[in-house]
Amino acid sequence: MSFDSKLRNAIAINQSILCLGLDPNPEVMPAKYREAYDLESKSEAHHERMVDCLWEWMNFIIQSTADLVCAYKPTLGFYTAMGAAGLELLTKTLAAIPPEIPIILDAKHADLNSSTVMAKTAFEQWGVDAITLSPYLGQDLAARFLMYPDKAIFVSCYSSNSTAQDFQAYPSREQPLYLNVVQNCQVWAGTENLALEVGSANPDALAKVRSLAPERLILARSIWANSQATGQKIDNLTEILNAGLDANGGGLILPVNQDALTIGDPAQLVRSLRDEVNQAIVATAHQSPVCEQWIPNVCLIDQSGHPHANLILQLFDIGCITFEETLQASGQIFPYYIDLRRIISNPQVFDAVIGTYAEILRELKFDRIAGIPYGSLPTASGLALRLNFPLIFPRKEVKAYGARRLIEGNYEAGETIVVVDDILISGKSAIEGAQKIESCGLKVQDIVVFIDHEAGVCDRIHQSGYSPHAVLKISEINETLYQSGRITEKQFLTLSHL
């Protein structure tokens, strides 16, 4: 199960948006565990007993709160500080967490050289569902973790620490660095795989992040920084909720006060906080006026039920779909331009696109996959790897030297080939590619593309003797972008009249 699905289920079942840290910090250890931990002996046996005390403490916290939280968040630094014993403790702690509760590893990973190993260890060996990252090495760092499509990353974009303001508020209050971080992260991955971590003792900063990332999950930090209460109340909870909740009243995870780790009955504190937060969410929803501006952005797109709506928005956000008059290869001028080559630099989006092709190809019968040069070759290669089918491709032109092949790759005469292309506008490149393949003694029955421009192009494919299949139609893209507020009514109508 993906992180997004697991989190949604946990929120629904436990009726909680609370996330609890699992930090074996001796400084906040309850008295009944500290007595054994603080023995003066420095023997190896005592060291083992110290780790045992920490394990008993972490296990007690988990067993007491597993039905009250939506996620657990162990901080990696506390475990690595203890060396090998700490990593063993981490493994035991993770194993004790019920499988239906997502785990967010708070690592703030910031080293590119070790990122691939870190991703493999965290996601494959430890089995966590998400990890926190530093943003300042950019998309190259995130890409190593986004190679796991069912996992997620939390990019740390704002800290409530007072001395951090000199950096993240630079160069000006109007254009601070932390908002630039949010804007850049928007094109790294979709909403299911990339969330943001925000120190929200300052609701104003949280509101600015939410305005730039209206659909992203936000993990709040430091919400207790301004609290003067005893750990069971958040002074500015209403402000935080108003600033951080998305248009649907969700999209926000709040941390549990660390006091929950220090007391004998953590369940009582967590349950009290959960009820307080839930009541505040209901009150916030009732107090908020109806906002017509976000109804088409959120409600209508949910009602449409388009299976690839989220992917369409991702493609738009990373610049694959732009609205400007463009001369096409066919000689036509369109009011939009689609450049799917951009997806190869965004691993999560690329993986999602390949997955949509794969859904169609699994229903077809063929022996090999053929990509049409040059735009669809990366996609065809990804499909060949995912579906474990051999790949070939017809050359655009036959070279006057070398092997002088029309078709690259091995094949046997009489085999059936499925042709993969990116966009059907006139259908010319797909048809010509299929005909080249057939000229070498192969059979082509199906042509699969990502986007169908419509306007009768599928009829031309049929008339040429092939069956066309498309993941998306241009009208579906247009409708989804308009419903989500990505394009104006004028742009929507222009595209509708093509």
Side-chain angles (χ1 to χ4, degrees), residues 426-489:
S426 67
K428 180 181 178 182
S429 64
I431 293 171
E432 289 182 349
Q435 291 172 343
K436 287 181 182 179
I437 292 169
E438 290 179 323
S439 71
C440 294
L442 298 168
K443 301 175 184 178
V444 176
Q445 297 175 346
D446 301 286
I447 295 175
V448 183
V449 300
F450 188 63
I451 297 175
D452 172 14
H453 176 65
E454 299 178 281
V457 64
C458 282
D459 291 337
R460 290 193 287 275
I461 299 293
H462 273 298
Q463 292 168 5
S464 298
Y466 310 112
S467 296
H469 310 267
V471 174
L472 298 170
K473 296 179 180 179
I474 195 66
S475 59
E476 296 171 335
I477 295 173
N478 191 32
E479 185 74 19
T480 300
L481 293 178
Y482 179 61
Q483 288 180 356
S484 67
R486 294 299 202 278
I487 61 175
T488 65
E489 183 176 7

Side-chain angles (χ1 to χ4, degrees), residues 290-307:
V290 175
C291 179
E292 296 180 357
Q293 291 183 344
W294 63 258
I295 290 177
N297 293 355
V298 179
C299 297
L300 293 181
I301 195 170
D302 288 341
Q303 293 170 9
S304 72
H306 195 287

Side-chain angles (χ1 to χ4, degrees), residues 8-209:
R8 290 177 184 274
N9 289 344
I11 290 173
I13 293 172
N14 290 346
Q15 290 295 291
S16 176
I17 63 168
L18 298 180
C19 173
L20 178 58
L22 293 175
D23 302 337
N25 181 1
E27 295 180 0
V28 295
M29 203 175 208
K32 69 175 182 177
Y33 300 108
R34 176 170 286 283
E35 290 176 359
Y37 184 89
D38 281 343
L39 292 176
E40 294 182 0
S41 170
K42 302 299 182 182
S43 66
E44 183 177 341
H46 174 58
H47 181 73
E48 292 178 358
R49 178 57 186 153
M50 289 168 59
V51 176
D52 288 342
C53 291
L54 294 172
W55 154 241
E56 292 170 10
W57 178 29
M58 292 296 99
N59 189 47
F60 171 69
I61 294 293
I62 294 168
Q63 300 305 318
S64 302
T65 61
D67 62 340
L68 299 170
V69 300
C70 68
Y72 286 109
K73 185 176 64 63
T75 300
L76 183 60
F78 282 112
Y79 296 89
T80 56
M82 292 182 277
L87 294 178
E88 291 179 10
L89 173 61
L90 175 63
T91 301
K92 290 180 66 175
T93 302
L94 296 177
I97 297 173
E100 64 271 16
I101 303 294
I103 302 169
I104 304 167
L105 183 65
D106 196 357
K108 300 294 191 299
H109 191 75
D111 180 62
L112 188 62
N113 291 334
S114 62
S115 57
T116 299
V117 175
M118 186 64 192
K120 183 178 180 65
T121 300
F123 293 149
E124 296 184 25
Q125 180 178 331
W126 293 337
V128 305
D129 302 287
I131 189 170
T132 62
L133 303 179
S134 170
Y136 296 115
L137 290 179
Q139 187 176 5
D140 284 347
L141 177 69
R144 271 67 168 184
F145 297 86
L146 292 170
M147 293 300 293
Y148 294 81
D150 289 337
K151 307 295 184 178
I153 62 173
F154 283 76
V155 178
S156 180
C157 63
Y158 184 84
S159 171
S160 289
N161 188 29
S162 59
T163 60
Q165 305 311 309
D166 292 341
F167 300 99
Q168 58 194 21
Y170 181 85
S172 68
R173 294 182 58 184
E174 291 72 27
Q175 295 180 319
L177 176 62
Y178 76 91
L179 293 183
N180 186 265
V181 168
V182 175
Q183 289 175 317
N184 276 275
C185 289
Q186 286 293 82
V187 302
W188 291 1
T191 54
E192 294 184 358
N193 299 93
L194 189 149
L196 300 171
E197 185 183 60
V198 181
S200 50
N202 178 0
D204 179 61
L206 179 60
K208 290 178 179 178
V209 171

Side-chain angles (χ1 to χ4, degrees), residues 275-290:
D275 294 344
E276 178 193 357
V277 169
N278 288 345
Q279 291 172 9
I281 291 175
V282 172
T284 300
H286 284 296
Q287 291 169 6
S288 298
V290 175

Side-chain angles (χ1 to χ4, degrees), residues 349-478:
V349 178
F350 192 19
D351 181 81
V353 169
I354 290 173
T356 60
Y357 274 97
E359 291 175 6
I360 296 176
L361 265 65
R362 288 191 181 101
E363 302 299 318
L364 305 177
K365 293 183 178 180
F366 55 91
D367 300 302
R368 298 177 192 270
I369 297 172
I372 301 299
Y374 294 104
S376 68
L377 284 182
T379 303
S381 300
L383 281 167
L385 289 170
R386 176 169 296 194
L387 300 178
N388 197 28
F389 273 86
L391 174 70
I392 62 173
F393 68 88
R395 296 188 64 90
K396 274 199 168 185
E397 62 285 318
V398 178
K399 292 183 178 179
Y401 53 87
R404 302 181 183 179
R405 293 185 181 132
L406 181 61
I407 306 293
E408 294 291 353
N410 297 325
Y411 56 88
E412 298 290 337
E415 289 181 325
T416 299
I417 310 299
V418 61
V419 170
V420 171
D421 205 354
D422 49 6
I423 306 174
L424 281 182
I425 295 180
S426 67
K428 180 181 178 182
S429 64
I431 293 171
E432 289 182 349
Q435 291 172 343
K436 287 181 182 179
I437 292 169
E438 290 179 323
S439 71
C440 294
L442 298 168
K443 301 175 184 178
V444 176
Q445 297 175 346
D446 301 286
I447 295 175
V448 183
V449 300
F450 188 63
I451 297 175
D452 172 14
H453 176 65
E454 299 178 281
V457 64
C458 282
D459 291 337
R460 290 193 287 275
I461 299 293
H462 273 298
Q463 292 168 5
S464 298
Y466 310 112
S467 296
H469 310 267
V471 174
L472 298 170
K473 296 179 180 179
I474 195 66
S475 59
E476 296 171 335
I477 295 173
N478 191 32

